[in-house]
């Protein structure tokens, strides 16, 4: 079954907008676990606009589900991951000024660098997932880098879902089939929501994990966090 990892970045955005510790990011993560999330994802950025490095350290002490840390492996991120040793690190090539992740790695051009990063994290027992666009060549390149999994960047699928979902999913099916052929695990994330999630999993049922934050937290404003986590779990386990 596909696991749900809840990205709690947006909870930290609300906290940071006023200072103090309301809402409490650690408590929110523990509540997500209690409500049925099978993992917690964070994406600490250098400017600490949402999740801070200190949050990552605090979360590691208390989480009981899989902890996934996303980010661009700049030196400070690299050191943090090696210190905390999460279950999984997801390598994302986002620029420091990016509003959100907006592209996957070119795993061919960056092969030597990604091989080095991947090997060092795996030596600490950390599973490595590489964030890629839905392009079979980039998936195969991730395998050459030594990755355990790829995470498919699903923004294009979400953007085109309402106009033609069959066309929107096709590149992802091809990329997912390449991952399976290569023996890679498969994650997916970015703009997945209650409208488009089930169809994605119906067409690619071997997805190991989806990471969902923005849409889930937006839904929680209206539906409540507990109900929302359960609704997303239901979409994955129909």
């Amino acid at each position: 079954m596909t696991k749900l990892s809840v990205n709690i970045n947006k909870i930290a955005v609300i906290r940071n907008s006023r200072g103090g510790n309301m809402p409490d990011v650690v408590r929110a993560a523990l509540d997500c676990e209690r409500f049925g999330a099978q993992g917690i994802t964070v994406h600490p950025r250098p400017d600490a606009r949402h999740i801070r490095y200190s949050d990552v350290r605090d979360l590691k002490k208390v989480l009981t589900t899989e902890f996934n840390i996303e980010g661009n492996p700049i030196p400070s991120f690299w050191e943090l991951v090696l210190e905390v040793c999460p279950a999984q690190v997801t390598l994302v090539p986002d620029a420091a000024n990016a509003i959100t992740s907006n592209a996957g790695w070119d795993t061919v051009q960056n092969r030597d660098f990604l091989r080095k990063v991947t090997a060092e994290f795996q030596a600490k027992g950390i599973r490595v997932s590489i964030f890629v666009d839905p392009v079979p060549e980039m998936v195969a390149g991730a395998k050459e880098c030594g990755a355990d999994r790829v995470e498919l960047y699903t923004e294009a699928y979400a953007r085109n879902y309402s106009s033609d979902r069959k066309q929107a999913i096709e590149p992802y099916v091809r990329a997912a089939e390449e991952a399976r052929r290569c023996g890679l695990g498969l994650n997916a994330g970015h703009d997945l929501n209650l409208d488009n999630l089930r169809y994605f999993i119906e067409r690619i049922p071997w997805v190991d994990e989806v990471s969902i934050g923005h849409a889930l937290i937006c839904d929680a404003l209206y539906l409540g966090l507990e109900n929302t986590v359960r609704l997303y779990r239901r979409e994955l386990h129909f």
Side-chain angles (χ1 to χ4, degrees):
M1 289 186 179
T2 304
K3 292 183 178 180
L4 172 66
S5 185
V6 176
N7 185 316
I8 60 170
N9 285 0
K10 289 302 185 293
I11 294 172
V13 168
I14 298 172
R15 177 200 61 188
N16 295 354
S17 70
R18 288 290 296 269
N21 196 40
M22 183 182 292
D24 185 325
V25 168
V26 173
R27 178 180 174 184
L30 292 174
D31 284 340
C32 287
E33 288 187 324
R34 184 163 56 88
F35 299 151
Q38 296 144 304
I40 298 296
T41 292
V42 295
H43 190 144
R45 285 185 165 87
D47 61 6
R49 73 183 78 160
H50 36 64
I51 290 292
R52 302 165 181 155
Y53 282 21
S54 59
D55 294 325
V56 176
R57 296 183 178 99
D58 291 342
L59 287 162
K60 172 62 177 178
K61 296 172 186 175
V62 298
L63 294 180
T64 57
T65 59
E66 284 202 352
F67 192 21
N68 172 44
I69 305 177
E70 299 180 340
N72 194 334
I74 61 174
S76 59
F77 178 88
W78 198 323
E79 292 170 7
L80 177 70
V81 172
L82 291 175
E83 173 193 343
V84 171
C85 286
Q88 177 175 269
V89 59
T90 301
L91 307 179
V92 183
D94 54 345
N97 61 350
I99 295 175
T100 186
S101 304
N102 55 20
W105 285 97
D106 184 326
T107 56
V108 176
Q109 295 240 346
N110 295 284
R111 183 177 59 189
D112 291 345
F113 173 68
L114 290 171
R115 273 183 175 173
K116 179 180 179 182
V117 178
T118 297
E120 187 156 348
F121 288 152
Q122 288 172 335
K124 294 282 282 186
I126 303 167
R127 184 172 68 236
V128 177
S129 178
I130 296 180
F131 193 68
V132 296
D133 295 318
V135 178
E137 181 185 10
M138 296 300 109
V139 174
K143 177 66 174 181
E144 291 297 313
C145 294
D148 302 292
R149 293 185 182 182
V150 288
E151 178 172 331
L152 298 181
Y153 173 42
T154 51
E155 187 275 335
Y157 164 74
R159 173 166 35 87
N160 296 314
Y161 175 82
S162 60
S163 58
D164 189 338
R165 68 181 189 174
K166 291 183 179 179
Q167 183 175 346
I169 196 67
E170 282 309 312
Y172 293 88
V173 173
R174 291 192 293 271
E177 288 173 343
E178 179 65 15
R180 186 162 61 173
R181 186 192 70 79
C182 291
L184 287 168
L186 184 64
N187 297 341
H190 210 285
D191 292 342
L192 295 173
N193 58 41
L194 289 174
D195 294 327
N196 60 41
L197 179 58
R198 180 177 295 199
Y199 183 69
F200 192 91
I201 300 302
E202 285 176 341
R203 291 296 308 274
I204 312 174
W206 61 94
V207 174
D208 292 296
E209 172 189 293
V210 291
S211 174
I212 304 178
H214 183 77
L216 190 150
I217 300 304
C218 288
D219 289 332
L221 293 175
Y222 294 93
L223 304 173
L225 184 59
E226 180 174 4
N227 188 38
T228 299
V229 171
R230 291 178 177 174
L231 287 171
Y232 275 87
R233 283 288 307 273
R234 188 176 70 183
E235 292 304 295
L236 293 171
H237 303 149
F238 48 87

